[in-house]
């Protein structure tokens, strides 16, 4: 076997797709970057991208829709102080690059120019957190249809009360290349797949819905029969539980959050507030609080973009910096923020590899990757047994948060009452209302059952949507306000 360097391998593939067919090479990219420094900007970069994606959906036993698209282009950015000029083109050519570069010179400040363009571009050391194969080619069209049909049959066979099944699958092959004014050139090849399942159960004229699914940076072979069974079990169980659910009570109460996907509350309630741009501008409730206690003892939260095959993982961020595991809160103390290059420079803090963008047509900004709370030492059964009267929330739907004050509202899609330490009956319509930093300070027990989500997370910020991961162990939280229907 011949060993190979993943970074160089990625770069070779990216050159073949994004540069060579258009008559471009590193020397020409250097000239484009140099032209942007005519007015002495601080920093500049070029972001090339080629994306191939598809989607399939099944309803009423028939695969009714399918989509396929190819997109490619380049984004050109110049940064001067805290100002950014950005232009993009879906045409990749030397002329398009120079035209886009010319458009970015409008922000230049007289006398700046802190970073010089290197005479040659260098490869960036990297790792290989996932395969670089195109997942769309891992199955033919018939096999993709058969997978969805199989998932539907499995779900319907679980219970006669299942009256409707909707299933979908999606795949993406993303190749990116970044050339920077400090001489760095870097590339990544990013596969991504996902399967989703929604079922509707009916009983005595009442209908309830359950959902499940998962994925990650794999090809379609990841979705084994055993995994499809798991998805069907989860979706059907959720729908059937809600058929028997009673109206949720309202008022302050002890709440136990289950492990895994409930970490989406953590993601929204405090995650966005720990992104560098909000803190540099002073708009986050966490601004200026590094070194202060922001959570109960035992609460440790990290953002980790280096996890193998995870939906939110990246070999490098969208500025060509290696991703890393960043400790945000340690034992309740705020340790740092998630940073891209510009905000880190202006705040005089380290770059954490959290610059992300939806596509070449969007600006990068500090974003989460896989954000989760570390496990504690409590058995989950012990946590439940400690609650005399409270709510056990194991799955969530939508939610909203205001990062300026940390206030959030989240709806639980599957929840149960806890009475005298026992899970009793399911409830419907439970909404959790609170303040992120306050809630962190009311965590009284942390489970030893850390779990990550199954690979379904999508995060939105300033109109850009990105794949992310969330996770947490079971948590007991005191005095959380529950908005109910009873």
């Amino acid at each position: 076997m011949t060993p190979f360097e993943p970074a160089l391998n990625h770069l070779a593939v990216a050159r073949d797709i994004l540069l060579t067919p258009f008559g471009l090479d590193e020397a020409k990219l250097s000239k484009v970057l140099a032209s942007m420094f005519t007015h002495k900007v601080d920093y500049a970069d070029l972001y090339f991208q080629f994306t191939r994606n598809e989607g399939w959906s099944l309803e009423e036993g028939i695969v009714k829709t399918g989509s396929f698209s190819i997109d490619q282009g380049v984004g050109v950015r110049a940064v001067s102080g805290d100002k950014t000029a950005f232009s993009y083109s879906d045409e990749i050519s030397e002329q398009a690059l120079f035209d886009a570069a010319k458009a970015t010179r409008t922000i230049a400040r007289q006398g700046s120019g802190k970073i010089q363009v290197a005479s040659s571009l260098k490869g960036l050391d990297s790792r290989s957190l996932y395969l670089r194969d195109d997942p769309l080619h891992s199955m033919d069209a018939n096999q993709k249809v058969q997978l969805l049909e199989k998932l539907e049959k499995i779900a319907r066979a679980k219970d006669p009360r299942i009256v409707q099944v909707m299933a979908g699958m999606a795949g993406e092959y993303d190749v990116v290349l970044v050339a920077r004014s400090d001489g760095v050139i870097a590339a990544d090849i990013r596969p991504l797949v996902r399967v989703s399942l929604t079922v509707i159960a009916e009983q005595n004229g009442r209908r309830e819905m359950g959902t499940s699914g998962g994925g990650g940076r794999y090809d379609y072979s990841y979705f084994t029969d055993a995994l499809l069974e798991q998805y069907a079990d989860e979706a059907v169980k959720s729908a059937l539980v809600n058929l028997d659910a009673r109206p949720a009570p309202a008022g302050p109460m002890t709440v136990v959050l289950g492990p895994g996907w409930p970490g989406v509350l953590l993601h929204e309630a405090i995650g966005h507030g720990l992104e560098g741009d909000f803190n540099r501008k002073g708009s986050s409730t966490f601004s200026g609080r590094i070194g202060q206690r922001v959570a109960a003892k035992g609460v440790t939260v990290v953002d980790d973009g280096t996890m193998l095959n995870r939906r939110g993982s990246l070999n490098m961020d969208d500025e060509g910096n290696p991703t890393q595991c960043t400790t945000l809160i340690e034992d309740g103390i705020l340790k740092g923020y998630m940073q891209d290059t510009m905000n880190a420079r202006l705040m005089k803090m380290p770059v954490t590899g959290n610059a992300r963008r939806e596509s070449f047509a969007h600006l990068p900004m500090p974003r989460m990757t896989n954000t989760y709370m570390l496990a504690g030492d409590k058995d989950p059964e012990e946590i439940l047994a400690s609650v005399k009267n409270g709510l056990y929330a194991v799955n969530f739907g939508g939610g909203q948060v205001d990062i300026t004050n940390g206030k959030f509202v989240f709806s639980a899609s599957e929840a149960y009452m806890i009475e005298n330490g026992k899970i009793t009956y399911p409830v419907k319509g439970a909404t959790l209302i609170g303040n992120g930093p306050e809630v962190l300070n009311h965590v009284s027990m942390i489970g030893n059952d850390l779990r990550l989500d199954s690979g379904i997370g999508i995060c939105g910020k300033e109109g850009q949507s990105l794949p992310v991961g969330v996770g947490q162990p079971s948590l007991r939280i005191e005095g959380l306000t529950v908005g109910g229907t009873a």
Side-chain angles (χ1 to χ4, degrees):
M1 296 180 65
T2 303
F4 68 95
E5 164 56 49
L8 297 179
N9 196 286
H10 292 164
L11 193 53
V13 173
R15 281 194 188 104
D16 288 344
I17 293 175
L18 291 165
L19 299 184
T20 304
F22 308 102
L24 297 173
D25 56 26
E26 282 87 340
K28 291 180 180 178
L29 301 189
S30 291
K31 290 179 181 178
V32 173
L33 290 166
S35 74
M36 298 166 70
F37 278 70
T38 303
H39 297 278
K40 298 182 180 179
V41 298
D42 294 337
Y43 170 88
D45 61 19
L46 312 175
Y47 182 87
F48 296 84
Q49 182 177 33
F50 169 89
T51 303
R52 181 189 293 122
N53 58 52
E54 67 175 0
W56 302 76
S57 63
L58 175 146
E59 189 173 352
E60 298 176 347
I62 302 170
V63 175
K64 292 186 174 182
T65 61
S67 61
F68 178 82
S69 66
I70 294 177
D71 198 15
Q72 66 183 24
V74 58
V76 179
R77 179 178 61 145
V79 178
S80 181
D82 62 353
K83 298 177 182 178
T84 299
F86 177 71
S87 60
Y88 69 91
S89 173
D90 56 9
E91 174 191 342
I92 299 178
S93 69
E94 187 173 7
Q95 186 60 51
L97 283 173
F98 275 107
D99 289 344
K102 183 178 180 180
T104 65
R105 297 177 196 165
T106 56
I107 63 159
R109 297 179 307 169
Q110 187 65 33
S112 62
K114 299 176 183 177
I115 302 173
Q116 299 299 316
V117 177
S119 58
S120 63
L121 296 171
K122 307 180 291 293
L124 176 70
D125 290 335
S126 185
R127 81 280 282 187
S128 189
L129 300 174
Y130 32 81
L131 295 175
R132 60 184 183 89
D133 301 329
D134 184 346
L136 279 64
H137 293 157
S138 61
M139 282 186 178
D140 62 31
N142 288 332
Q143 291 173 314
K144 295 166 186 175
V145 170
Q146 290 167 7
L147 186 149
L148 292 178
E149 291 174 340
K150 179 187 295 183
L151 182 56
E152 189 220 22
K153 289 178 182 177
I154 292 172
R156 286 188 180 276
K158 295 291 179 184
D159 194 281
R161 289 170 288 181
I162 300 301
V163 296
Q164 191 170 352
V165 176
M166 292 154 282
M169 65 188 300
E172 180 175 282
Y173 177 66
D174 194 30
V175 181
V176 301
L177 183 147
V178 179
R180 306 189 329 207
S181 59
D182 60 357
V184 168
I185 185 168
D188 198 10
I189 301 170
R190 303 166 176 171
L192 190 65
V193 295
R194 176 178 170 172
V195 160
S196 58
L197 174 66
T198 299
V199 303
I200 296 176
E202 183 174 10
Q203 177 178 276
N204 300 324
R206 177 176 175 175
R207 286 192 165 204
E208 295 291 348
M209 182 175 68
T211 62
S212 186
R217 297 198 179 279
Y218 305 96
D219 62 24
Y220 289 130
S221 66
Y222 172 72
F223 300 110
T224 62
D225 289 352
L227 196 54
L228 298 183
E229 285 277 357
Q230 178 184 319
Y231 294 160
D233 282 337
E234 292 170 349
V236 171
K237 174 180 176 290
S238 180
L240 297 183
V241 162
N242 283 323
L243 282 177
D244 297 322
R246 307 177 196 177
M253 65 181 69
T254 299
V255 174
V256 176
L257 300 180
W261 178 245
V264 68
L265 189 151
L266 182 79
H267 168 103
E268 294 289 357
I270 71 163
H272 283 295
L274 294 174
E275 291 168 337
D277 48 354
F278 295 131
N279 288 279
R280 177 178 65 81
K281 297 170 184 176
S283 58
S284 169
T285 186
F286 293 103
S287 296
R289 300 187 64 189
I290 290 180
Q292 298 180 18
R293 178 165 296 282
V294 296
K297 287 185 67 64
V299 172
T300 296
V301 179
V302 302
D303 182 84
D304 189 355
T306 70
M307 307 178 79
L308 290 176
N309 302 313
R310 294 296 305 176
R311 180 174 172 84
S313 294
L314 300 168
N315 286 315
M316 68 177 202
D317 73 0
D318 290 331
E319 292 179 327
N321 296 307
T323 53
Q324 62 188 50
C325 182
T326 302
T327 299
L328 303 171
I329 298 172
E330 184 174 31
D331 198 22
I333 306 299
L334 181 60
K335 292 295 185 178
Y337 309 122
M338 291 166 278
Q339 298 284 14
D340 63 350
T341 299
M342 184 183 78
N343 287 283
R345 174 170 55 85
L346 294 172
M347 297 177 74
K348 296 180 171 57
M349 292 182 176
V351 174
T352 62
N354 283 94
R356 303 190 65 189
R357 61 205 298 170
E358 182 177 318
S359 77
F360 67 89
H362 299 81
L363 274 171
M365 65 183 82
R367 301 291 297 272
M368 286 173 273
T369 57
N370 303 298
T371 310
Y372 57 94
M373 184 186 296
L374 300 191
D377 60 359
K378 302 298 182 184
D379 186 285
E381 295 299 324
E382 178 186 355
I383 296 176
L384 290 169
S386 72
V387 179
K388 183 177 182 180
N389 184 52
L391 183 78
Y392 181 42
V394 299
N395 209 349
F396 285 93
Q400 293 181 332
V401 63
D402 183 343
I403 62 99
T404 63
N405 54 31
K407 292 181 179 180
F408 64 82
V409 178
F410 268 86
S411 59
S413 58
E414 183 179 347
Y416 306 82
M417 290 305 298
I418 308 170
E419 297 174 326
N420 296 317
K422 302 291 184 182
I423 297 174
T424 52
Y425 58 90
V427 295
K428 183 175 175 60
T431 301
L432 304 188
I433 304 167
N435 175 287
E438 289 181 7
V439 166
L440 287 183
N441 280 289
H442 293 157
V443 173
S444 59
M445 299 178 77
I446 303 174
N448 58 12
D449 57 342
L450 169 62
R451 187 189 307 166
L452 299 173
D453 76 286
S454 61
I456 59 174
I458 298 174
C459 173
K461 178 179 176 181
E462 297 185 18
Q464 296 191 40
S465 296
L466 290 170
V468 296
V470 301
Q472 68 174 42
S474 295
L475 299 176
R476 173 175 166 153
I477 303 173
E478 307 300 334
L480 188 57
T481 300
V482 177
T485 53

